Amino acid sequence: MASTPHPWLNPALTVGGLLPLALLAVQGPLGQLGPNAIEAALNQTGLLALVMLLASLACTPVRLVTRWTWPARVRRTLGLLAFTYACAHLFTYAVLDQGLAWRALFDDVVKRPFITVGFTAWVLLVPLAVTSTNRWVRRLGFPRWQRLHRLAYVAAVLGVVHFVWRVKQDVTEPLIYGAVLALLFAVRVGEAMRKRRARAAAAARNPA
Amino acid sequence: MGRYKRAMSDKPPVEPPGSEITSERLYLRRRDFLRNAGLFTGTAAAVAGGLYLLTRKQRRLMDAYVPDAGDVTGPVVKAKGAFDTDEPRTPYEDVTTYNNFYELGLDKNDPARLAHHLKPRPWTVTVDGEVHEPKTVDIDQLLSWFTMEERVYRMRCVEAWSMVIPWLGFPLAALLARVKPTSQARYVTFTTLMDPEQLPGQKRRVLDWPYLEGLRLDEAMHPLTFMAMGLYGKQLPGQNGAPLRLVVPWKYGFKGGKSIVRISLTRTMPLTTWNMAAPHEYGFYANVNPAVSHPRWSQATERRIGDFGRRPTLPFNGYGEQVAHLYAGMDLRENF
């Protein structure tokens, strides 16, 4: 049996993907993140979580469009990187920024849609990270596992909304991420429609 | 070929024992290993580099942009005043590289990088409207009217961070006294320079330029209300609103209009830029108030730049004793 093609791909993504986090962890305590290090860390981890989530959602559309197979093999790595950055983002906010002031955190999550939306996105990623193993795919059965993991799109939409509400006035950058997400979703919808038409055509050819 | 044949014709070479022959699979894996190691390193570097580019704007080292401004000319009083705080001052590097001045870019470090576009001389300031003696004066003439005072004020940004800044300037009341407000004057409007060449952020309509801010006349006349022309004993750097800016220490920082060219007294409440842009988030008064949250975050606490933890925010930014009476009988939740 041939060994997995591109055995370097997932380890390289993991290492390269985690380097920005390692850099933050080193630069923060050294005071190299500017006058407001916690704000810088919040912005960085939040943006990286969204980038990784969009990258993981891009795997299937890229595979469909290019017919390459390797994107399917990096999807889990990218998804777990997204979850890692989402956790780092939440940790920076709840522990470093708010000092685990539970009352203030509770108020934020309950009363402020900006925080509610971001927190919900993180909550949605938890079951996806937990069920990311092969064993869980088998346990749930692939169709059910696949349905569950469509939550990644919901989390990404919430992430973009969180980003739009984060900026004070100029929403150009968050809208770029929103447009990328919409494009990825359009490819998936197009593929689903193509499949449905193909099934209908097949059914018409072979009436039961 | 020939050499091979000869070797075949001579006595056969000694074969190493089978156990010592590297299997073909392993031999090929050696090459694979090297190739994979190269691809691994290249991919990891490309991924990290791409992510670095996507998020780099937060990371620029700002040391290069700390301004080296000249000293303020003319007489300066540095005696500790009644309003000065004893709290540790925010370092000059932080005061001059962490700024909100959207006319010079949207990120905190943009103003320091783009401040060289702003030319604070020559500069004229107009004071007009409901006044008996309107004036249009050169900034240096205006400077000569006053003895510069140092005021060490807390500055609380609406974004829940704060600084302690030693400003250099004069009370706004002293300037208003020179133009003699009419009995009809109720409000004061401050207009920032409108010039996309000097303030390149104005090339994008992020806000409705020029930037307008306003105060009620009694707020403007309050002895705490200050026109700054310097900080830390030096001339005001562009990123801090050179050559003339408003400082109202009990209000959120955005009330302090920067690079002011016009001060107008009016009968009616003026339109102010942030209030027009997002009326439910930024009120006309914008008094620092821990009890009234911003829709997206709490105002109960703040991070003093340089501190790790947060501290409670004080009503009127700790100047309640001096200014609370200005708002007696007003609902501060309604008039936020």
Side-chain angles (χ1 to χ4, degrees):
Chain A
M1 202 181 106
S3 62
T4 330
H6 315 317
W8 45 274
L9 190 52
N10 276 307
L13 273 180
T14 308
V15 170
L18 288 176
L19 264 178
L21 187 63
L23 201 58
L24 278 177
V26 172
Q27 285 186 317
L30 286 177
Q32 291 174 354
L33 289 179
N36 198 344
I38 290 176
E39 182 195 44
L42 267 176
N43 289 345
Q44 296 265 36
T45 50
L47 184 58
L48 286 165
L50 186 59
V51 166
M52 292 299 182
L53 190 54
L54 289 186
S56 73
L57 290 176
C59 293
T60 303
V62 166
R63 181 173 59 78
L64 290 172
V65 170
T66 62
R67 314 256 164 214
W68 295 334
T69 54
W70 63 264
R73 282 194 307 272
V74 298
R75 192 168 59 165
R76 169 162 44 196
T77 304
L78 291 170
L80 286 172
L81 279 169
F83 183 65
T84 305
Y85 277 103
C87 289
H89 187 59
L90 180 65
F91 175 84
T92 309
Y93 156 69
V95 180
L96 302 183
D97 184 39
Q98 299 289 330
L100 280 185
W102 295 109
R103 179 76 226 179
L105 290 171
F106 180 79
D107 280 357
D108 267 0
V109 169
V110 173
K111 287 188 197 164
R112 293 181 240 287
F114 160 59
I115 310 271
T116 314
V117 160
F119 184 72
T120 308
W122 177 80
V123 169
L124 291 181
L125 290 180
V126 174
L128 307 194
V130 168
T131 60
S132 64
T133 58
N134 291 338
R135 183 194 289 248
W136 267 102
V137 180
R138 277 197 302 276
R139 188 183 290 182
L140 289 172
F142 188 66
R144 259 202 297 170
W145 182 90
Q146 205 178 20
R147 264 202 306 276
L148 175 68
H149 279 248
R150 286 192 187 130
L151 279 178
Y153 266 99
V154 181
V157 169
L158 295 178
V160 169
V161 172
H162 181 63
F163 193 7
V164 168
W165 282 346
R166 160 73 186 81
V167 298
K168 269 207 298 192
Q169 202 61 21
D170 184 38
V171 291
T172 314
E173 197 186 352
L175 288 186
I176 291 172
Y177 287 93
V180 170
L181 180 61
L183 180 72
L184 297 177
F185 192 66
V187 174
R188 298 297 298 265
V189 169
E191 173 68 9
M193 278 163 50
R194 196 189 59 77
K195 267 191 188 157
R196 181 173 299 182
R197 266 202 306 276
R199 265 203 307 275
R205 272 197 307 276
N206 315 307
Chain B
M1 238 0 209
R3 197 153 51 119
Y4 198 62
K5 240 180 194 161
R6 215 174 306 123
M8 292 285 279
S9 62
D10 290 351
K11 60 177 178 180
V14 184
E15 290 266 348
S19 61
E20 281 180 16
I21 300 175
T22 309
S23 78
E24 191 188 356
R25 244 184 86 209
L26 217 59
Y27 174 76
L28 290 175
R29 265 175 61 188
R30 183 185 118 279
R31 289 169 139 189
D32 273 355
F33 178 80
L34 287 176
R35 194 176 58 103
N36 287 341
L39 286 167
F40 165 83
T41 312
T43 308
V47 169
L51 294 173
Y52 180 84
L53 288 177
L54 267 177
T55 58
R56 73 188 181 289
K57 66 183 176 187
Q58 299 294 335
R59 293 184 176 280
R60 287 186 191 114
L61 287 177
M62 292 308 294
D63 303 357
Y65 297 102
V66 175
D68 184 18
D71 290 343
V72 165
T73 51
V76 172
V77 177
K78 278 197 174 181
K80 184 176 173 344
F83 305 128
D84 285 356
T85 172
D86 289 325
E87 292 165 87
R89 298 167 186 203
T90 305
Y92 185 70
E93 300 78 60
D94 292 352
V95 175
T96 55
T97 60
Y98 189 79
N99 307 99
N100 275 325
F101 191 1
Y102 277 17
E103 289 89 328
L104 288 175
L106 302 179
D107 289 316
K108 294 284 185 298
N109 50 27
D110 285 340
R113 286 189 308 109
L114 300 175
H116 62 273
H117 291 288
L118 178 61
K119 307 284 179 241
R121 296 290 189 284
W123 192 278
T124 42
V125 179
T126 299
V127 190
D128 63 359
E130 289 291 341
V131 296
H132 291 296
E133 296 176 23
K135 293 182 197 309
T136 295
V137 291
D138 179 75
I139 189 74
D140 287 312
Q141 190 190 346
L142 189 134
L143 184 62
S144 72
W145 291 347
F146 308 102
T147 301
M148 293 289 112
E149 284 176 45
E150 188 170 69
R151 297 271 182 102
V152 187
Y153 281 164
R154 288 179 289 274
M155 212 268 307
R156 169 64 156 79
C157 178
V158 74
E159 297 167 346
W161 53 266
S162 62
M163 293 183 177
V164 174
I165 305 173
W167 300 105
L168 216 52
F170 55 89
L172 176 60
L175 175 61
L176 295 183
R178 283 194 163 248
V179 295
K180 300 191 170 63
T182 69
S183 59
Q184 302 294 318
R186 291 283 177 276
Y187 293 91
V188 187
T189 313
F190 304 84
T191 309
T192 295
L193 174 72
M194 177 68 196
D195 181 354
E197 293 307 311
Q198 294 196 55
L199 297 171
Q202 289 175 336
K203 288 173 185 165
R204 292 174 63 195
R205 289 191 63 82
V206 175
L207 288 169
D208 201 358
W209 314 119
Y211 194 87
L212 299 174
E213 257 311 335
L215 295 172
R216 236 167 42 193
L217 187 61
D218 59 340
E219 296 175 324
M221 296 298 286
H222 193 280
L224 274 169
T225 306
F226 201 63
M227 299 305 297
M229 298 186 69
L231 56 82
Y232 271 100
K234 297 166 187 287
Q235 295 194 28
L236 205 57
Q239 56 266 44
N240 298 89
L244 181 70
R245 69 165 291 170
L246 176 66
V247 178
V248 195
W250 73 90
K251 292 177 181 284
Y252 292 120
F254 71 87
K255 289 299 286 183
K258 300 187 178 84
S259 304
I260 290 169
V261 292
R262 188 169 174 212
I263 299 171
S264 273
L265 283 77
T266 57
R267 298 178 186 205
T268 53
M269 187 184 273
L271 294 171
T272 56
T273 298
W274 275 111
N275 182 236
M276 286 189 284
H280 59 292
E281 298 197 334
Y282 310 103
F284 173 80
Y285 286 97
N287 291 319
V288 175
N289 191 343
V292 176
S293 297
H294 186 281
R296 284 177 279 157
W297 57 84
S298 162
Q299 296 290 26
T301 60
E302 68 199 50
R303 168 166 295 105
R304 181 66 50 82
I305 293 302
D307 282 4
F308 184 70
R310 289 175 161 260
R311 62 177 67 205
T313 289
L314 302 172
F316 300 106
N317 200 21
Y319 299 96
E321 212 176 296
Q322 288 87 14
V323 300
H325 69 272
L326 296 174
Y327 311 100
M330 277 176 67
D331 181 350
L332 296 179
R333 229 162 241 293
E334 201 67 31
N335 299 287
F336 60 96

